Amino acid sequence: LKAVDKAIGKRKVQMSIPKSFYVQSDKRLIKINPNDINYVEACGNYVFIHLEAQKIFTYCSLRKLIEKLDCENFVQTHRSYIINIDKIKDIEDNSVLIGNKVISISRRFRKNVLNSIDVI
């Protein structure tokens, strides 16, 4: 029983560590660490991945990127936005402040956003 508990514990730790992935942008493959992502913005069939120092433009659906970001640190706030909850500076009414960007929270996703953060 102890061995099974230990194996399950190790498996949970391995699953919680976000893995880096590559996206294609301008005929280059760019390695992205999920911890470096501030937010992701959809624009039709393309997405802008906003990092601290740069913005990466790639052909990808938001749904496909959500699968790659299968981590408890990311939540969808709007049909066009996914945010890294660790990068949130402020939440006010129906918006989130990340860096200097105000991102709206739609009524559809508001409950998920509030459930994702720790409120005292």
Side-chain angles (χ1 to χ4, degrees):
L1 185 58
K2 286 182 182 180
V4 171
D5 288 339
K6 185 176 179 180
I8 290 172
K10 285 184 179 179
R11 179 75 175 150
K12 285 181 182 178
V13 169
Q14 289 173 350
M15 291 174 61
S16 66
I17 298 171
K19 307 234 184 218
S20 59
F21 58 92
Y22 290 86
V23 295
Q24 186 169 355
S25 181
D26 295 330
K27 298 182 182 180
R28 298 180 315 159
L29 289 175
I30 301 172
K31 185 176 182 179
I32 297 179
N33 183 349
N35 293 329
D36 296 338
I37 297 174
N38 286 345
Y39 63 95
V40 179
E41 178 182 9
C43 185
N45 293 332
Y46 294 88
V47 293
F48 289 100
I49 301 172
H50 295 265
L51 307 173
E52 290 289 332
Q54 66 179 352
K55 178 171 66 171
I56 299 170
F57 181 70
T58 186
Y59 179 77
C60 178
S61 68
L62 201 61
R63 179 171 291 170
K64 188 175 181 180
L65 198 57
I66 288 172
E67 292 170 5
K68 287 288 185 191
L69 296 174
D70 188 24
C71 182
E72 61 188 32
N73 293 345
F74 292 91
V75 65
Q76 189 167 1
T77 62
H78 189 273
R79 69 183 189 127
S80 300
Y81 289 98
I82 301 170
I83 63 167
N84 185 342
I85 60 174
D86 291 336
K87 307 289 181 164
I88 296 174
K89 289 185 177 179
D90 186 14
I91 298 176
E92 182 179 339
D93 294 329
N94 293 325
S95 63
V96 173
L97 179 66
I98 296 181
N100 59 0
K101 172 74 172 174
V102 176
I103 298 171
S104 63
I105 302 173
S106 68
R107 284 180 280 163
R108 178 179 167 199
F109 295 106
R110 182 168 175 74
K111 186 176 181 180
N112 290 343
V113 172
L114 294 177
N115 289 338
S116 301
I117 60 173
D118 291 330
V119 179
I120 298 176

